[in-house]
Structures are given as C-alpha cells and as structure tokens.
Amino acid sequence: MNILIIEDENKTAELLKEFIEENEHCLVVNICQSIENTVKYLTKNQSKLDLIFMDIQLADGESFEIFNQIEVTKPVVFCTAFDKYMLKAFKNNGIGYILKPFQQKDI
C-alpha cells in the first residue's frame, strides 16, 4: 500500500511514517509539508497512491484548501490535535480521524 503523509511538523511526520511502515505491506512514498506542495504532488502522483494521512492545520492554511484546488480521489485519514473538524473531514474523503498525540495503536 502506497501512502502519502501531509504533515508540516517534521518530528510528527517521521513518527507517523515509522508507525505506518511497521506494517510490511505499507510504504510511505512521500511527505508533503504544505498545501502548495501537496497539490503539485497529487496532480502528478495521485494515481499511484492508496491512502493519504493528512494533518488539518498546516503552516500555509487548513488542508481542506487542497480539496478546493484538486479533486482528491483517495481515502484520507485525518490527523489533528483538534476534534472540531471531524464532520468536515468526513465530508472530504475522510475514512478516519486520529487525534494527536497519537500512538502506534491509533495508526
């Protein structure tokens, strides 16, 4: 399973990658840190993905802006410190909602 992580905090992104790749069938193919980089990456590579882990609060805005710029066709697991976005997340391809700080069992 090819997975994209969208997370602007390096430490959190690396921890998430480590947790995901503990499953031998999962590979994190890229980590995007901004809305702009994510839109560029998805434009060229979305067809190669199976799943996206997406932080909601990015340095350049809320990740929901990505859905306004490109059609996201892959399922998304949202990872955030805030529970107030849950409904909006599930309206935007969300199949999961993980609150930070997360642990291996959450992933």
Side-chain angles (χ1 to χ4, degrees):
M1 180 178 290
N2 292 327
I3 299 172
L4 172 66
I5 294 175
I6 303 167
E7 171 63 64
D8 60 343
E9 296 175 14
N10 290 331
K11 186 176 179 182
T12 303
E14 287 302 318
L15 180 62
L16 184 56
K17 179 181 179 185
E18 179 183 318
F19 286 166
I20 290 169
E21 290 185 341
E22 284 185 13
N23 181 323
E24 65 184 50
H25 302 291
C26 295
L27 174 67
V28 174
V29 294
N30 197 20
I31 298 173
C32 294
Q33 296 185 320
S34 69
I35 294 167
E36 180 181 355
N37 289 342
T38 301
V39 170
K40 287 179 184 177
Y41 184 83
L42 289 175
T43 299
K44 295 179 182 177
N45 301 292
Q46 185 168 194
S47 64
K48 300 172 190 171
L49 298 173
D50 298 301
L51 182 64
I52 301 169
F53 279 80
M54 183 181 293
D55 184 16
I56 293 177
Q57 294 284 335
L58 300 172
D60 58 344
E62 289 183 3
S63 60
F64 297 116
E65 180 59 32
I66 295 164
F67 297 90
N68 295 331
Q69 296 184 34
I70 186 172
E71 181 181 3
V72 179
T73 59
K74 302 301 176 181
V76 179
V77 175
F78 288 91
C79 304
T80 184
F82 307 98
D83 62 0
K84 67 181 181 178
Y85 299 106
M86 195 173 298
L87 183 59
K88 193 171 184 178
F90 285 108
K91 289 182 178 181
N92 287 284
N93 285 23
I95 62 165
Y97 197 90
I98 300 170
L99 290 175
K100 294 178 184 176
F102 50 79
Q103 298 174 3
Q104 173 64 40
K105 65 181 174 78
D106 299 323
I107 305 305

